[in-house]
Amino acid sequence: MRSSAVCIIVLGLLTSCTSTEEVGPPLADRAIRVVATTSIVADLVRAVGGAEVSVESLMGPGVDPHLYKASARDVDKMVQADIVVYNGLHLEGKMGDLFKAMAARGKPTVAIAEVSIPDSLLRVSELFQGNYDPHIWFDAELWARAAHALANTLGALDTARGAMFAMRGDGYADELLEVHAYVHEKVNEVPEEQRVLITSHDAFGYFGRAYGFDVHGLQGISTASEAGAADVQNLATLVTDRRIPAMFIESSVSPRGIEAVQEAVNAKGFEVSIGGILYGDALGGPSTPAATYLDMIRYNIDTIVKALSNGERN
């Protein structure tokens, strides 16, 4: 959908729904209607908002937010919501104009990564010139800051329930710090020289910085830029030279790129395994081991540790 068309739809829908919103039940008498972009953001809203919010995620399990295009139905959902919560920092790259148009017309919107994390703690990357890395949730300590910021945002929207949101935000932040400590503990099972994480795209930079891994993604921070033959060969050389036992594919990215690297490594006379599927830009479905953020973080680190600590170097 072209950005101009998006803005026209937003303007029309915002204007048409004004009278309906004015006669609707007061906010204090019902759950706050929240539309979140990604499943990870939606999970944060549910954890902090509890029964006081009604949350709908635009993107389901396994959906790549870098490439997602909003439909007219998505726009309608956001217009009808009391607030739109998105990650920001260009994670939802193709939806940027849509959020700007909504905010300009008075629709409450919040880019949770941008309001919760100071620039000094954001990661820059030479692969994403001019922008910060948006994948802040891979450092659970940073995501705890997002929980507090979201509690403040919901409390400002509904002051009558502000204390309740603050309490839930504090409680969930404590859970996030507990899983942060769990990751640190698990990392100790991997020899330092083997703490090298190879994934489909450069989503795990905050993870590497927080937990002491050297991280390399085949694609850049945004999956909108495709990897070429030179990228495959360069990564294959790195894997071979450092004798890395395992690489990982991501649930929201095609496995073809990492499989191509594996073939290139094999051609160089070294065998590298696929250590498993990591959940990167999206949670898994209800029946997966990554149905919630806390589950996802534990599953990812368990998968990484198992593959790298048990891997035998040829």
Side-chain angles (χ1 to χ4, degrees):
M1 184 183 295
R2 296 179 181 275
S3 59
S4 58
V6 168
C7 292
I8 291 172
I9 292 174
V10 170
L11 293 175
L13 288 174
L14 281 171
T15 301
S16 65
C17 76
T18 300
S19 60
T20 302
E21 291 179 342
E22 288 175 348
V23 299
L27 195 60
D29 295 339
R30 59 175 172 80
I32 299 173
R33 296 187 299 263
V34 183
V35 166
T37 50
T38 71
S39 56
I40 294 171
V41 173
D43 179 79
L44 179 68
V45 177
R46 293 188 187 98
V48 174
E52 309 305 313
V53 299
S54 173
V55 188
E56 184 164 9
S57 177
L58 296 181
M59 307 177 202
V63 174
D64 183 350
H66 299 286
L67 303 178
Y68 189 81
K69 296 181 180 179
S71 66
R73 185 178 180 185
D74 290 336
V75 174
D76 184 57
K77 290 178 181 178
M78 286 186 277
V79 168
Q80 299 298 328
D82 296 308
I83 186 171
V84 176
V85 183
Y86 62 105
N87 187 83
L89 297 176
H90 302 283
L91 178 75
E92 305 94 343
K94 294 183 179 296
M95 299 177 69
D97 289 340
L98 175 55
F99 300 135
K100 290 179 182 178
M102 287 200 160
R105 295 290 294 182
K107 172 62 64 177
T109 63
V110 59
I112 197 63
E114 297 175 17
V115 301
S116 60
I117 311 299
D119 290 354
S120 61
L121 295 181
L122 292 175
R123 176 177 174 265
V124 296
S125 172
E126 61 184 22
L127 302 176
F128 203 40
Q129 289 290 340
N131 296 293
Y132 291 110
D133 183 347
H135 304 88
I136 66 165
W137 60 87
F138 280 118
D139 179 344
E141 194 169 34
L142 292 184
W143 206 232
R145 288 174 174 258
H148 287 302
L150 180 61
N152 291 336
T153 297
L154 294 175
L157 187 67
D158 182 1
T159 56
R161 290 181 280 194
M164 182 181 301
F165 292 133
M167 181 178 65
R168 291 189 65 87
D170 289 343
Y172 187 56
D174 288 343
E175 293 185 68
L176 293 170
L177 294 179
E178 288 176 7
V179 82
H180 179 66
Y182 175 79
V183 175
H184 274 296
E185 181 181 348
K186 292 293 293 184
V187 166
N188 291 329
E189 299 178 22
V190 182
E192 287 189 21
E193 68 275 10
Q194 290 187 228
R195 294 176 192 173
V196 184
L197 183 63
I198 307 293
T199 61
S200 300
H201 86 297
D202 190 21
F204 289 79
Y206 288 102
F207 171 87
R209 187 180 73 181
Y211 307 114
F213 275 77
D214 184 14
V215 176
H216 297 269
L218 178 59
Q219 293 175 259
I221 286 177
S222 172
T223 57
S225 58
E226 296 185 1
D231 299 311
V232 170
Q233 289 300 322
N234 290 339
L235 196 52
T237 298
L238 173 71
V239 171
T240 303
D241 289 348
R242 298 184 64 172
R243 305 184 73 77
I244 299 166
M247 305 182 299
F248 302 87
I249 58 179
E250 296 176 42
S251 64
S252 58
V253 182
S254 169
R256 291 194 298 270
I258 289 296
E259 290 169 352
V261 175
Q262 185 182 36
E263 292 177 5
V265 170
N266 291 342
K268 294 177 181 292
F270 179 71
E271 291 187 8
V272 61
S273 67
I274 302 298
I277 299 175
L278 301 182
Y279 292 86
D281 290 344
L283 299 179
S287 62
T288 70
T292 69
Y293 172 86
L294 294 173
D295 290 340
M296 176 191 75
I297 294 299
R298 292 189 182 94
Y299 170 83
N300 277 352
I301 190 59
D302 289 348
T303 300
I304 291 168
V305 168
K306 181 179 179 180
L308 295 183
S309 61
N310 295 337
E312 296 182 0
R313 297 187 174 206
N314 297 337

